């Protein structure tokens, strides 16, 4: 932070009256900010209390704890209580952009804990960004926040700086700043180093603008896809949320440039029926699920990244509001997790104790409960007096002790000292703010994040990438084709230039082909969301616009339909009752597909959607999430092959809301039930399986997995094991593969998840290139919460699985955890080349030369065989077994990597317990799969000459 040095030079007089706007516009801001009262600013320290003596709290060489105690000892109760509240910024609560003489009569004459969202441009939901002259450019914004800070440093008794807080989950919330994909999109990059870059840029730009505390990352784990805030989570895996959260915090807090405040603590993201608003209470979860899913990320991010802030959520759990829970805010957060920052309340969390939860009789009692529980700073869109005055009454009446108040203020001061507010309270490099905020270098990182967040969901017959040289006309339609508002939602930059998908396509083709465009339909129809329940007929205007899209598609060589969601359908307080495409979007897609022209579906949305019809009938589908200001360029790069998509799903796509809860991780067999045979004569009564599972994503190239090795087959609970495998790009294009490691505790004292994500690595490979990937397994990957609510590693076998998704497992091994004192052999163990979708322990039966022993499965189940490197295969010999001896269908599929299996043989078994050879066109492949087409069918024996050896 060498550009944030304190200067002792004089800017002008000591008055805090703002200059007239016309004078400010005419006067060019200096390159360096200089505060006014020069006698305060000494060489190497600041005389905050104006006594002419270097007090301990003013001494940068003293320890943080010593400085805290010295300052705390000088504070009176008015000053302490003012540190325990937030003043919301300009046009939210504070009516002034800059200090006025009246501030000396306001509550904050005694200081202020934090000022939130001041001059960041946000006014209210649905209003355009503020046009106040101090909002932009960046240098003017930094100057204005310095002027506000100068009031607290120069005009209050002890000169305690305020903490300027702001949102920042997709770039710092400012009129302009580097605009990244929303957090859900960032999660789909699976790229730790990229997320740290995003955090570092967000924190740096925040500090250059004058902010010192950023409300990010969101550490909620997605559980219900209907939830409006799904766009804000990294994903459904607590491990992935923790890993990316750690990187984001390390980036944000780099050199303590800002404090990072994670949210929402705790158990916030699984509300009953995904309902929001006043119904955000008592998520429907067991205590063990709360610990394994929701507590896990906070615990790791606080311990491993030293996160300095936590936002307390306003839900309750098991009947106890989190905001008033000493157990959650003190016993767990500070005691167990060793949190040493400060807790800020989310919105009306304090007020909800009496207005919603009914556990406090009035505001004063709500304040008492919150402070005793562990709340440091109340933050909501209300006057700070509404909190501080009842707080002071409680202290005067003996309802809260001075010792409790001192504890809460210590935490606030600690954060302020750590981020350097007492050593460099001003952002002095005004010229640097203009050059750094939204710089070209930072925008290049944002563009890379947009590219890496995109997931290829379907690509039949290599529909993508499109060949621009063969396209004469391209038809583009859909409500999101020329839309940009998805990049300008709350909690991020508000007024940056945004590239739409239509912009990206036009720029890519550069007048070499004609781009036909019509909207096709609105994002939602006039009756939405009731139209999700009732089939209203199309209006003439709606039909006319769909017809126009059809006419353009008929003229074109290919049609790109851009659908999904937006600010009307997703976001805070915008949960849904359906996951289908809203409004008339499916009508539009069907009509364009009916033209017979090649169709590419691009989705821009903030949650998974049940696109069953598109998955069945549209040849290519690209999921872009909310891809940030560079999203249109990034989508065009993917469509035309200038970038090979490598994102993988961090969320599950259900086929219907009727399957919810349907997510990852899940307990064994919890997401499949009922029969598997459809139709009138079948036994299937509901849709089974995911539309797209966790970890899924395709590529324009293919990848082979091989050579799984464990550094040791047996470890004790405190030891580590390395899992190594080799990934090879077997296709013709350079590309990224997200290699995923999963673990399964085979036998445990409590039920554990079917697969736990335990490692991931995004690997870039040139055609033909191979790379070894290494994962380390240690205690945190093996622990479970036992019957006594103790985190333990239980001895026994752990299944080790490496694959391209949670369902596309390519390599298998076994790691044994032994009791202490057991000798752990160091000889590496190689992977089993055979895996199965079910009854994996029985796969050895297909190689025992005994036709009476079988591996058995039901319709849709399969066995996968890894083949030798560079193998070509033209036949396989199989002996089936079935008790009822009725005919059964089956398929033989081949894969050359990337998670795509193509059927090369469809057959019908009529002879059982006999080894028969099935032939097909010779094909290069890395894996062979036998898929059952009926229930209770067994495979007794398989012979493949090209089988990879263990």
């Amino acid at each position: 932070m060498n550009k944030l040095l304190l200067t002792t030079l004089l800017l002008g007089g000591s008055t805090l009256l703002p200059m007239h706007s016309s004078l400010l516009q005419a006067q060019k801001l200096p390159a360096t900010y200089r505060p006014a009262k020069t006698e305060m600013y000494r060489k190497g320290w600041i005389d905050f209390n104006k006594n002419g003596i270097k007090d301990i709290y003013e001494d940068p060489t003293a320890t943080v704890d010593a400085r805290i105690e010295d300052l705390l000892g000088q504070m009176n109760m008015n000053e302490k209580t003012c540190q325990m509240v937030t003043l919301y910024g300009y046009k939210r609560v504070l009516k002034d952009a800059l200090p006025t003489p009246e501030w000396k009569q306001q509550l904050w004459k005694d200081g202020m804990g934090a000022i939130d969202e001041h001059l960041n441009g946000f006014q209210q939901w649905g209003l355009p960004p503020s046009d106040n002259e101090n909002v932009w450019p960046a240098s003017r914004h930094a100057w204005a926040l310095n002027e506000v800070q100068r009031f607290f440093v120069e005009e209050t008794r002890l000169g305690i700086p305020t903490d300027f807080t702001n949102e920042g989950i997709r770039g710092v919330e400012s009129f302009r700043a580097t605009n990244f994909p929303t957090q859900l999109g960032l999660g789909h990059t699976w790229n730790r180093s990229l997320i740290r870059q995003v955090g570092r840029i967000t924190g740096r730009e925040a500090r250059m603008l004058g902010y010192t505390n950023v409300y990010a990352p969101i550490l909620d784990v997605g559980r219900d896809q209907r939830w409006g805030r799904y766009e804000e989570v990294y994903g459904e895996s607590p491990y992935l949320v923790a890993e990316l959260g750690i990187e984001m915090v390390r980036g944000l807090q780099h050199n303590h440039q800002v404090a990072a405040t994670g949210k929402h603590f705790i158990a916030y993201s699984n509300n009953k029926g995904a309902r929001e608003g006043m119904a955000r209470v008592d998520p429907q979860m067991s205590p063990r699920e709360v610990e394994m899913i929701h507590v896990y990320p906070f615990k790791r991010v606080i311990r491993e990244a030293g996160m300095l802030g936590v936002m307390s959520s306003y839900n309750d759990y098991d009947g106890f509001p989190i905001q008033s829970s000493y157990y959650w805010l003190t016993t767990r957060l500070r005691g167990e997790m060793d949190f040493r920052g400060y807790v800020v309340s989310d919105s009306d969390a304090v007020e909800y104790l009496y207005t919603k939860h009914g556990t406090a009789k009035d505001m004063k009692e709500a304040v008492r409960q919150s402070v005793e529980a562990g709340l440091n700073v109340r933050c909501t869109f209300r006057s700070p007096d509404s909190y501080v005055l009842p707080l002071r009454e409680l202290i005067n009446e003996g309802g809260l002790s001075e010792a409790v108040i001192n504890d809460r203020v210590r935490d606030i001061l600690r954060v302020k000292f750590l981020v350097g507010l007492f050593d460099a309270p001003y952002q002095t490099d005004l010229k640097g703010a203009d050059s750094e905020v939204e710089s070209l270098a930072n925008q290049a990182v944002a563009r890379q994040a947009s590219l890496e967040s995109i997931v290829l969901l379907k690509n039949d017959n290599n529909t993508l990438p499109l060949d621009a040289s063969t396209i004469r006309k391209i038809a583009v339609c859909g409500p999101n084709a020329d839309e940009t508002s998805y990049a300008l939602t709350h909690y991020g930059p508000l007024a940056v230039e945004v590239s739409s998908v239509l912009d990206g396509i036009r720029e890519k083709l550069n007048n070499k082909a004609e781009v036909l465009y019509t909207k096709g339909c609105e994002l939602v129809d006039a009756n939405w969301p009731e139209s999700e329940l009732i089939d209203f007929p199309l209006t003439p205007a709606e039909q006319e616009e769909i017809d126009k899209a059809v006419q353009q598609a008929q003229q074109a060589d290919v049609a790109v339909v851009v659908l999904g969601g937006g600010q009307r359908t997703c976001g805070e307080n915008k949960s849904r009752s359906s996951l289908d495409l809203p409004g008339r979007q499916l009508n539009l897609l069907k009509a364009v597909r009916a033209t017979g022209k090649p169709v590419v579906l691009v989705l821009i949305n903030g949650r998974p959607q049940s696109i069953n019809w598109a998955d069945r009938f549209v040849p290519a589908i690209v999921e872009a999430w909310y891809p940030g200001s560079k999203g249109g360029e990034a989508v065009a790069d993917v469509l035309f092959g200038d970038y090979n998509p490598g994102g993988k799903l961090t969320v599950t796509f259900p086929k219907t809301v009727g399957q919810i809860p349907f997510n990852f991780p899940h307990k064994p067999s919890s997401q499949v039930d009922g029969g598997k045979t459809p139709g009138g004569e079948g036994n299937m009564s509901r849709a089974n399986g995911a539309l797209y599972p966790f970890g899924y994503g395709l590529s324009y190239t293919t990848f082979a997995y091989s050579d799984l090795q464990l550094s040791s087959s047996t470890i004790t609970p405190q030891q580590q094991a390395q899992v190594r495998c080799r990934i090879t790009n077997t296709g013709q294009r350079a590309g990224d593969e997200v290699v995923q490691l999963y673990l399964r505790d085979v036998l445990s004292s409590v039920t554990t998840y079917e697969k736990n994500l335990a490692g991931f690595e995004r690997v870039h490979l040139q055609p033909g290139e191979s790379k070894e990937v290494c994962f380390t397994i240690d205690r945190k990957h093996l622990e479970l919460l036992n019957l006594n609510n103790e985190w333990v590693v239980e001895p026994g076998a752990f299944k080790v699985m490496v694959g391209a998704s949670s369902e596309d497992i390519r390599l298998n091994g076994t790691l044994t955890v032994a009791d202490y004192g057991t000798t752990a052999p160091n000889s590496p163990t190689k992977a089993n080349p055979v895996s199965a979708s079910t009854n994996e322990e029985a796969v050895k039966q297909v190689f025992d030369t005994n036709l009476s022993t079988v591996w058995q499965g039901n319709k849709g189940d399969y066995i996968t065989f890894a083949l030798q490197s560079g193998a070509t295969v033209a036949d396989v010999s199989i002996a089936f077994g079935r008790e009822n001896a009725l005919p059964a269908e089956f398929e033989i599929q081949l894969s050359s990597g990337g998670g795509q299996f193509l059927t090369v043989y469809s057959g019908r078994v009529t002879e059982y317990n006999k080894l028969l050879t099935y032939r097909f066109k010779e094909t290069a492949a890395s894996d062979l799969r036998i898929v059952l087409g009926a229930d209770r069918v067994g495979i007794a024996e398989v012979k493949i000459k090209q089988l990879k050896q263990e």
Side-chain angles (χ1 to χ4, degrees), residues 8-10 12-14 35-43 45-48 50-53 154-155:
T8 60
L9 299 177
L10 181 66
S14 62
K37 289 189 175 180
T38 55
E39 68 276 8
M40 286 182 56
Y41 304 98
R42 310 298 182 90
K43 185 176 181 179
W45 64 284
I46 302 172
D47 188 11
F48 287 103
K50 301 95 177 167
N51 67 355
I53 301 171
E154 297 183 359
E155 301 298 322

Side-chain angles (χ1 to χ4, degrees), residues 621-850:
I621 305 174
V622 173
E623 173 60 81
W625 307 113
Y626 292 154
S629 63
K630 304 297 181 184
E633 299 172 18
V635 169
D637 279 351
V638 167
L639 294 180
F640 291 94
D642 294 309
Y643 183 79
N644 186 353
K648 301 269 190 171
L649 295 182
T650 66
V651 294
T652 304
F653 276 60
K655 294 177 179 176
T656 168
V657 293
Q659 294 173 295
I660 292 175
F662 197 88
N663 42 40
F664 178 92
H666 52 82
K667 297 293 182 66
S669 302
S670 64
Q671 297 196 169
V672 177
D673 64 345
K676 294 189 176 182
T677 307
E681 302 300 320
N683 61 359
M684 191 176 183
S685 61
R686 66 179 299 170
N688 283 329
L691 184 60
Y692 306 113
F694 179 90
Y696 171 86
L698 304 177
S699 171
Y700 295 154
T701 189
T702 54
F703 299 95
Y705 287 59
S706 63
D707 303 328
L708 181 72
Q709 290 191 342
L710 274 64
S711 60
S712 178
S713 60
T714 305
I715 61 172
T716 62
Q718 296 299 342
Q719 291 180 318
Q720 294 181 341
Q722 281 70 48
V723 179
R724 290 182 169 83
C725 64
R726 182 162 294 279
I727 311 300
T728 304
N729 184 341
T730 54
Q732 302 302 311
R733 290 176 176 265
D736 291 2
E737 174 70 336
V738 178
V739 186
Q740 301 158 47
L741 170 68
Y742 296 91
L743 295 177
R744 168 72 189 278
D745 193 343
V746 177
L747 179 64
S748 52
S749 60
V750 297
T751 304
T752 58
Y753 296 106
E754 189 171 273
K755 293 186 182 79
N756 278 306
L757 183 68
F760 57 88
E761 196 69 38
R762 185 166 182 142
V763 182
H764 181 77
L765 295 171
Q766 295 295 324
E769 182 184 6
S770 293
K771 187 175 291 185
E772 184 180 76
V773 177
C774 180
F775 302 105
T776 297
I777 299 174
D778 59 23
R779 185 181 182 90
K780 69 175 175 286
H781 301 102
L782 305 172
E783 285 183 321
L784 60 76
L785 194 62
N786 69 10
L787 293 170
N788 297 320
N789 286 322
E790 300 167 331
W791 286 98
V792 299
V793 177
E794 294 183 341
F798 287 80
K799 186 176 177 182
V800 177
M801 298 162 279
V802 177
S805 82
S806 60
E807 292 190 5
D808 184 10
I809 301 301
R810 306 293 186 83
L811 305 171
N812 290 272
T814 299
L815 175 67
T816 300
V817 176
D819 285 321
Y820 297 108
T822 302
T823 302
N826 292 317
S827 58
T829 60
K830 293 190 175 181
N832 185 348
V834 184
S835 61
S837 61
T838 187
N839 299 326
E840 186 137 9
E841 65 280 0
V843 294
K844 60 181 180 292
Q845 311 285 10
V846 304
F847 295 115
D848 63 359
T849 68
N850 184 349

Side-chain angles (χ1 to χ4, degrees), residues 344-405:
V344 60
S345 64
D346 185 11
S347 189
D348 274 355
V350 176
E351 287 75 6
Y352 281 172
L353 296 179
Y354 72 95
T355 63
K356 179 169 76 171
H357 298 301
T359 54
K361 65 179 181 179
D362 54 24
M363 181 61 179
K364 186 191 288 188
E365 177 61 14
V367 172
R368 186 193 66 77
Q369 290 181 11
S370 297
V371 174
E372 284 196 339
L375 179 68
N376 299 101
V377 176
R378 193 285 299 267
C379 177
T380 194
F381 316 106
R382 300 173 187 269
S383 164
D385 304 62
S386 63
Y387 182 80
V388 172
L389 297 183
L391 176 60
R392 290 175 179 172
E393 287 182 23
L394 285 162
I395 295 167
N396 292 334
E397 297 166 359
L400 284 169
S401 70
E402 185 173 0
V404 169
I405 299 300

